[in-house]
């Protein structure tokens, strides 16, 4: 039985040959597609093609397709004649022979405007008129568009929920239960005998009220300490910025001698300006402070403000060049500025000035009041104290700001020609002020410390390299070093009242050779030659040697010959009323001789001639003839610092020549003569009465 005829859908045969289309059987379609296509179709459907026996037809479900509407139904195909069956090929069913009288049409060509078989129509090609194609079927919801391939869904990461899965929030642990579940083998409780050494951690007990109070107190103290430290750091920075700074140093100046010997040491130039009660060069006090490399020794050298010096070329405050000039030492500061004074000091001494410090002495009383006053201790009333407008007694004195101002001011005119006494008083008060400022009471009192630092900032002028730490080192050198660790010296003077040619001003002429010797020792060893050192107290007021006082007196007959005692150490024998003295002025201060003569009359002396000294003297001297030695000793006792000078040219006359270092006149008392001894019976030995001499009382220990 033959296969059911199926209409060919590829086209109309009449378009090619004009013949009417005929039905096509399944076998013919398979034959047209080829064996490979049939095999692939069979493989896809899973069917195994079964060859048909001659005269066998397909089952009913494989009947022919219904005719296309509008076309004539094909007549039933006649049964093909029987033919000998061909041997079937492997894998394909045998193609039955076409029935008799059936003609197959030629391949139907494609319609005009349609692409050939196997060629896809581009999207931009429009179909011919009258031809309507069905619209593209949209993809089903959830399916990708045509030609789109989606990748396999990515599985979720371990520990993260799958898409659409939401976890609930963590459940807080029950009271008394751990926050996390125990790890098996690690966090489980130790079992008795199981060999585990882990034990459950006991909960920390709550802090007691006392412990909480201690913690709060510690936190409060820490905050307070931080505030105090921050305040003092800010105050330090404020004061450091408020101090006036000038370009004053010249460390590479050609006048510096042996700079390699001065590498470890430090030299400060301390200048006091606006000294109360003075004006001009006398208002300037200068002190060179040389601190040794080990900071255990210091040398203080004062420079007379009217000393005749050579100032090298320098720069003024406004930056103008200043030519070399010979002038008063203080004029280098007043006319040139700090840099010119530094160059003048280096030219005079050969020292390299490392720090410059200027103090406005007019503001020193306010600084003293800021620390509540200062304490000053004088072993004895020396020349510097006597030259003050308000001398201080020996011992400890508590001074206010007003008292400091009066003590700084000089006394009578001509009492301090060289300016050494004013420099010594300035150094004494600066040391006392700095020492009071560094005490624990001042440092702990924020109000007093702030007042002192702010007032000091307005009174100080330093060079650009000097810091507050350098000033503290200077304070230690001026205040902490005592005894033999500090040596004082004043520049040796060759002439007072020196008037250069072409000038009407009197100056102090320095001894060049002695000055060079002084500074050479300072540069090499940070010491002062013994012959140029200035003692802290006068020799007449030096404490007696305790060992000598305890030595028993020797028998005059058997005692060896000893040197005579110095005149100043022997008791006075002539009262002032029995002494006539001539007063001569050896300084540049006019009227000084008349002033001193009036002071001597008040002490009971008879004053003879009053005038000026024709020569020059380096210090105050008492000249006397060979027959008036005791009278001269009484005059020397009334004028502290005066030395005896015998002379055969003046006969039996006593002359008081006022020179550099004159400080004033003090009262003199002469002890009464001892009573004559009784010849019959010697009086029992009684302790000798203390003799009263011109020397002041025993120095006070400070």
């Amino acid at each position: 039985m033959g296969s059911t005829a199926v209409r060919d859908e590829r086209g109309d045969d009449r378009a090619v040959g004009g013949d009417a289309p005929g039905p096509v059987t399944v076998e013919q379609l398979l034959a047209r597609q080829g064996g490979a296509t049939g095999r692939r179709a069979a493989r896809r459907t899973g069917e195994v093609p079964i060859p048909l026996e001659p005269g066998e037809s397909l089952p009913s479900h494989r009947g022919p397709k219904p005719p296309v509407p509008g076309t004539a139904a094909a007549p039933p195909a006649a049964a093909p004649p029987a033919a000998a069956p061909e041997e079937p090929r492997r894998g394909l069913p045998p193609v039955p022979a076409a029935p008799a009288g059936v003609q197959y049409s030629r391949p139907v060509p494609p319609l005009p405007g349609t692409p050939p078989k196997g060629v896809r129509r581009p999207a931009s090609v429009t179909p011919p008129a009258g031809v309507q194609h069905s619209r593209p079927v949209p993809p089903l919801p959830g399916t990708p568009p045509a030609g789109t391939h989606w990748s396999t869904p990515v599985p979720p990461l371990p520990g993260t929920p799958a898409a659409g899965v939401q976890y609930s929030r963590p459940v807080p642990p029950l009271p008394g239960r751990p926050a996390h579940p125990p790890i098996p083998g690690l966090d489980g409780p130790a079992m008795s005998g199981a060999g585990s050494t882990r034990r459950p951690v006991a909960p920390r007990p709550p802090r007691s009220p006392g412990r909480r109070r201690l913690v709060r107190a510690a936190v409060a103290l820490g905050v307070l300490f931080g505030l105090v430290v921050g305040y003092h750091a800010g105050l330090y920075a404020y004061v450091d910025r408020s101090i006036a700074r000038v370009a004053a140093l010249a460390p590479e100046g050609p006048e510096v001698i042996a700079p390699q010997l001065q590498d470890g040491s430090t030299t400060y130039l301390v200048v006091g300006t606006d000294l109360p009660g003075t004006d001009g060069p006398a208002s300037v006090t200068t002190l060179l402070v040389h601190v040794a490399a080990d900071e255990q020794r210091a040398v203080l050298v004062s420079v007379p403000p009217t000393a005749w010096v050579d100032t090298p070329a320098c720069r003024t405050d406004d930056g103008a060049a200043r030519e070399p000039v010979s002038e008063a030492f203080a004029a280098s500061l007043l006319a040139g500025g700090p840099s010119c004074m530094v160059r003048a000091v280096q030219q005079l001494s050969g020292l390299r000035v490392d720090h410059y410090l200027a103090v406005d002495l007019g503001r020193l009383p306010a600084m003293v009041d800021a620390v509540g006053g200062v304490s000053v201790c004088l072993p004895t009333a020396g020349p510097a104290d006597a030259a003050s407008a308000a001398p201080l007694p020996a011992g400890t004195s508590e001074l206010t700001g007003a008292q400091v101002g009066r003590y700084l001011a000089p006394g009578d005119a001509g009492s301090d020609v060289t300016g050494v006494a004013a420099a010594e008083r300035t150094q004494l008060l600066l040391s006392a002020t700095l020492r009071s400022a560094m005490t624990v009471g001042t440092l702990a009192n924020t109000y007093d410390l702030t007042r002192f630092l702010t007032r000091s900032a307005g009174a100080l002028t330093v060079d650009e390299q000097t810091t507050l730490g350098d000033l503290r080192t200077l304070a230690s050198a001026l205040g902490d070093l005592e005894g033999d660790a500090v040596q004082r010296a004043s520049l040796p003077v060759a002439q007072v009242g020196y008037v250069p040619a072409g000038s009407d001003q009197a100056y102090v002429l320095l001894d060049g050779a002695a000055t060079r010797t002084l500074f050479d020792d300072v540069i090499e060893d940070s010491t002062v030659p013994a012959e140029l050192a200035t003692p802290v107290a006068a020799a007449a007021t030096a404490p007696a040697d305790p060992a000598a006082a305890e030595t028993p007196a020797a028998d005059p007959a058997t005692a060896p010959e000893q040197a005579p005692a110095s005149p100043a150490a022997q008791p006075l024998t002539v009262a002032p009323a029995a002494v006539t003295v001539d007063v001569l002025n050896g300084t540049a201060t006019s009227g000084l001789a008349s002033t001193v003569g009036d002071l001597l009359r008040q002490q009971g002396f008879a004053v003879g001639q009053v005038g000026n000294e024709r020569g020059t003297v380096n210090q105050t001297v008492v000249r006397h003839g060979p027959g008036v030695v005791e009278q001269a000793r009484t005059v020397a006792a009334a004028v502290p610092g005066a030395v005896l000078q015998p002379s055969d040219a003046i006969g039996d006359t006593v002359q008081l020549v006022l020179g550099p270092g004159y400080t004033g006149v003090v009262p003199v008392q002469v002890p009464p003569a001892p009573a004559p001894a009784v010849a019959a019976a010697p009086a029992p030995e009684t302790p000798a009465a203390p003799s009263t001499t011109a020397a002041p009382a025993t120095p006070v220990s400070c």
Side-chain angles (χ1 to χ4, degrees):
M1 189 174 183
S3 302
T4 305
V6 181
R7 183 177 179 84
D8 191 357
E9 297 178 355
R10 292 181 298 174
D12 194 351
D13 292 343
R14 288 178 297 184
V16 179
D19 298 332
V24 182
T25 62
V26 175
E27 288 79 6
Q28 292 173 345
L29 290 176
L30 293 175
R32 288 182 182 180
Q33 295 177 359
T37 304
R39 288 193 295 270
R40 287 196 297 270
R43 190 181 301 114
R44 286 197 301 270
T45 60
E47 298 179 356
V48 178
I50 303 174
L52 299 176
E53 295 296 337
E56 184 181 3
S57 62
L58 293 172
S60 59
H61 67 278
R62 293 189 180 182
K65 290 184 178 181
V68 179
T71 61
E86 297 180 1
E87 184 179 356
R89 290 181 296 180
R90 186 178 180 181
L92 293 174
V95 180
V102 178
Q103 294 182 358
Y104 296 108
S105 62
R106 297 177 183 178
V108 180
L111 296 176
T114 60
K117 182 180 180 181
V119 178
R120 301 181 64 181
R121 180 192 296 271
S124 61
V125 177
T126 59
V131 179
Q132 295 183 357
H133 294 295
S134 61
R135 295 180 180 178
V137 179
L140 296 176
T143 60
T148 303
H149 299 282
W150 285 347
S151 60
T152 307
V154 180
L157 296 176
T160 60
V165 178
Q166 296 183 356
Y167 290 149
S168 61
R169 296 181 180 177
V171 180
L174 296 176
R177 296 295 184 88
H180 301 281
I183 301 176
L186 294 179
D187 296 338
M191 299 179 61
S192 176
S196 175
T197 58
R198 291 183 175 272
R199 296 181 179 179
V201 180
R204 179 179 297 178
R207 293 176 178 175
S208 62
R211 185 182 181 88
R212 288 196 296 268
R213 285 193 293 269
L214 289 177
V215 171
R216 288 195 294 266
V219 172
L221 289 177
V223 172
L224 180 61
F225 178 77
L227 292 176
V228 172
V229 172
Y231 176 80
H232 285 81
L235 180 63
Y236 178 92
Y238 169 78
V239 173
D240 188 65
R241 291 194 303 266
S242 300
I243 295 177
R245 300 183 181 275
V246 293
L249 302 183
E252 305 298 333
E255 63 274 4
V256 178
I257 298 177
Q260 66 278 5
L261 297 179
Q262 307 180 43
D263 288 341
S265 58
T266 306
T267 301
Y268 296 82
L269 176 59
V270 182
V271 181
T273 60
D274 296 334
L275 183 68
T278 60
D279 56 0
S283 64
V284 178
T285 64
T286 308
L287 189 68
L288 272 175
V289 183
H290 181 81
V291 182
D294 56 1
E295 297 185 359
Q296 301 300 319
R297 290 172 295 126
V299 175
L300 310 181
V301 180
S302 58
V303 182
T306 57
W308 184 254
V309 298
D310 296 328
T311 303
C314 58
R315 291 281 180 181
T316 60
D317 289 340
D318 55 1
R322 190 168 186 260
E323 297 297 329
V325 63
S326 296
E327 59 187 351
F329 176 72
S332 62
L333 174 66
L334 299 177
S339 61
C340 294
M341 173 170 270
V342 169
R343 298 295 300 275
V345 169
Q346 294 183 161
Q347 178 74 17
L348 175 65
S349 63
L351 290 169
R352 182 192 61 223
V353 177
D354 300 304
H355 300 286
Y356 172 84
L357 170 64
V359 183
D360 186 354
L361 298 179
R363 299 187 180 185
L364 185 59
M367 296 169 57
V368 172
D369 288 335
V371 295
V374 295
S375 178
V376 176
C377 182
L378 299 177
T380 185
D385 181 73
S388 171
L392 298 177
T396 303
S397 302
E398 300 293 336
L399 302 180
T400 62
Q403 293 173 331
V404 166
R406 291 192 297 269
Y407 182 69
L408 277 174
D412 297 334
S415 59
D416 187 16
V417 179
T418 60
V420 175
E424 185 174 347
R425 293 195 305 273
T426 301
Q427 179 262 323
L428 178 65
L429 292 176
L430 284 178
S431 302
T433 304
L434 293 176
R435 182 177 297 180
S436 299
M438 298 303 296
T439 58
V440 178
T442 303
L443 295 177
N445 191 328
T446 305
Y447 178 73
D448 290 346
L449 180 62
T450 303
R451 284 200 310 167
F452 174 76
L453 291 179
T454 52
R455 294 180 182 181
S456 300
L460 300 180
T461 301
V462 299
D463 61 89
E464 296 176 341
Q465 286 74 33
T466 298
T467 62
L468 293 182
D470 299 325
L471 298 183
R472 183 169 184 174
T473 303
L474 174 63
S476 300
L478 294 179
D480 295 344
L481 299 180
E482 298 177 351
D484 296 337
V486 179
Q487 291 182 300
R488 291 188 57 91
S490 57
L491 295 184
V493 177
Q495 181 180 350
V496 176
Y498 170 74
V499 179
S503 174
D504 56 354
Q505 298 292 329
Y507 301 91
V508 173
L509 190 62
L510 300 177
D511 188 341
T515 300
R516 185 71 266 151
T517 301
L518 169 66
F519 286 118
D520 286 345
D521 285 2
V522 173
I523 294 174
E524 294 177 4
D525 302 326
S526 298
T527 57
V528 174
E531 64 274 12
L532 298 177
T534 301
V536 177
T541 61
D545 187 2
E550 296 176 358
T551 304
D555 187 358
T558 59
E561 183 178 359
Q562 300 179 354
S566 61
Q570 298 177 358
L572 300 178
T573 58
V574 179
V579 178
T580 300
V581 55
D582 297 337
V583 182
L584 304 177
N585 185 9
T587 68
T589 304
S590 60
L592 181 60
S594 300
T595 302
V596 175
D598 294 340
L599 295 176
L600 291 175
R601 292 189 184 95
Q602 295 176 5
Q603 299 299 328
F605 289 92
V607 178
Q609 180 183 357
V610 176
N612 295 324
E613 171 67 15
R614 296 181 179 180
T616 60
V617 292
N618 296 333
Q619 56 187 342
T620 301
V621 298
V622 178
R623 296 196 188 107
H624 61 88
V628 289
V629 176
E630 293 302 321
Q631 290 84 345
R633 290 181 57 246
T634 302
V635 175
V639 183
V643 296
L644 298 176
Q645 182 179 356
S647 176
D648 296 335
I650 61 174
D652 292 335
T653 306
V654 178
Q655 293 180 349
L656 173 61
V657 182
L658 303 175
Y662 165 77
T663 58
V665 178
V666 298
V668 176
Q669 296 181 0
V670 179
V678 179
E685 183 179 356
T686 58
S691 61
T692 304
T693 64
T698 303
V700 178
S701 177
C702 292

